[in-house]
Amino acid sequence: MPATLIDGKAFAATVRGKVAQHVTRLKDDHGITPGLAVVLVGEDPASQVYVRSKGKMTLEVGMNSFEHRLDADTAEADLLALIDQLNRDPAVHGILVQLPLPKHLNEDLVINSIDPAKDVDGFHISNVGLLGTGQKSMVPCTPLGCLMMLRDHHGTISGMDAVVIGRSNIVGKPMAQLLLNDSATVTIAHSRTKDLPEVVRRADIVVAAVGRPEMVPGDWIKEGATVIDVGINRIDAPEKGEGKTRLVGDCHFESCAERAGAITPVPGGVGPMTIACLLANTVTACCRANGLAEPEGLTA
Ligand code: GUN
């Protein structure tokens, strides 16, 4: 039986629709417009694409978008001064500093200078600690999007065996925490894991977040398992013509889809959920800052 396709593009549109409804309510009932500030240092082409897309979608859901583009050689003190200014600005409810930063900037220092209440990436050490202890926090956007899709597909994931492949601070580790907080039995696998195929074969849920094109083949997947593919890798596609490329995930889609019960495609799976969850986190941060009820279904 071919797998059910989990349509992240459609799901993300639904999430953005809910966000837009909350934004309207905040404006009409309380005179508050949620605001998201995005800081981009340097000219990394992929980062520029993301930042443009974030700004556009922020405006589309009715929120204010504040974009700050700084030169690649910006001094750390100047970046920290901007973050301090944004921390103090009551019109700014969410702050995102686009990563990676140029090498001369201390990423940990910069992230930890953001007010945790405005840290819509959920990367601040306080939010990491709150998530790790099951307390209310800002949750990293990509894992939050994966969790939303899993909850939507399964109802509950309590008691399920989940394997997260990859241990990054941005995806792997927070993903494992979220699955654990939802009472799944969680394994974090990585490059040193012994017999990775056997570990993955035990899983009812596989979240692949390693950034290696098509590294998970179908014969690692348990019959009927749910596969969430976080990877977005560009590879050569000579079959499309000379110099052409295409996007693939960390899972080999065709073979995994033959065995999985459900699977997210690449593109159109996890990717669109990340920005949708960033917008959701901004509304959540805005509600918390104003002592208002949080939107339901948009948080962990
Ligand atoms: N660069 C790639 N992904 C992300 C993300 O989720 N947040 C930030 N701030 N930078 C990124």
Side-chain angles (χ1 to χ4, degrees):
M1 230 275 301
T4 302
L5 214 57
I6 299 179
D7 186 344
K9 198 172 165 195
F11 200 124
T14 305
V15 170
R16 290 198 304 275
K18 285 185 191 167
V19 169
Q21 276 179 3
H22 279 280
V23 171
T24 302
R25 202 170 308 156
L26 282 165
K27 285 181 180 173
D28 291 353
D29 298 353
H30 304 281
I32 300 167
T33 304
L36 172 63
V38 174
V39 180
L40 173 62
V41 187
E43 272 110 45
D44 179 65
S47 292
Q48 285 183 328
V49 173
Y50 287 135
V51 166
R52 208 172 309 131
S53 186
K54 281 168 190 165
K56 181 168 163 275
M57 291 196 181
T58 303
L59 295 175
E60 274 174 16
V61 295
M63 303 199 296
N64 288 328
S65 171
F66 308 102
E67 257 178 51
H68 296 268
R69 288 165 186 268
L70 306 181
D71 293 337
D73 62 356
T74 295
E76 194 166 82
D78 292 337
L79 176 56
L80 294 176
L82 171 61
I83 292 171
D84 184 52
Q85 179 199 318
L86 297 172
N87 283 343
R88 292 165 191 272
D89 187 342
V92 172
H93 303 96
I95 302 170
L96 179 145
V97 177
Q98 184 67 30
L99 303 178
L101 288 171
K103 291 282 171 286
H104 69 285
L105 299 170
N106 180 336
E107 222 160 74
D108 288 337
L109 180 71
V110 169
I111 288 167
N112 290 324
S113 72
I114 298 170
D115 178 348
K118 297 189 178 187
D119 168 36
V120 281
D121 259 329
F123 295 165
H124 190 289
I125 195 72
S126 300
N127 283 315
V128 175
L130 290 168
L131 179 64
T133 49
Q135 300 179 71
K136 195 191 267 192
S137 66
M138 296 308 302
V139 176
C141 305
T142 300
L144 178 58
C146 296
L147 182 75
M148 282 183 188
M149 291 194 285
L150 284 167
R151 283 179 176 168
D152 182 69
H153 185 73
H154 287 285
T156 174
I157 59 169
S158 176
M160 294 178 80
D161 281 316
V163 170
V164 180
I165 315 174
R167 53 177 158 177
S168 71
N169 292 335
I170 293 183
V171 185
K173 285 182 207 162
M175 185 75 249
Q177 286 293 350
L178 288 172
L179 293 164
L180 188 58
N181 291 349
D182 266 27
S183 301
T185 303
V186 185
T187 302
I188 306 178
H190 47 78
S191 53
R192 301 287 174 89
T193 295
K194 277 188 263 175
D195 204 356
L196 182 60
E198 272 315 304
V199 171
V200 175
R201 276 187 198 113
R202 287 203 297 269
D204 305 309
I205 294 168
V206 179
V207 181
V210 268
R212 283 182 55 192
E214 301 180 318
M215 75 159 277
V216 178
D219 69 358
W220 291 12
I221 302 298
K222 179 160 94 174
E223 203 68 50
T226 298
V227 176
I228 306 290
D229 193 347
V230 179
I232 301 176
N233 311 289
R234 191 166 285 286
I235 61 166
D236 291 337
E239 73 280 4
K240 287 168 69 178
E242 204 186 306
K244 297 283 185 195
T245 61
R246 65 188 174 101
L247 290 179
V248 296
D250 290 347
C251 301
H252 183 265
F253 183 79
E254 288 76 17
S255 60
C256 288
E258 273 175 31
R259 290 171 66 103
I263 187 168
T264 60
V266 178
V270 175
M273 288 297 288
T274 297
I275 294 183
C277 288
L278 173 68
L279 304 175
N281 277 350
T282 305
V283 169
T284 299
C286 178
C287 291
R288 288 180 186 169
N290 288 284
L292 299 169
E294 290 174 26
E296 265 184 40
L298 295 180
T299 51

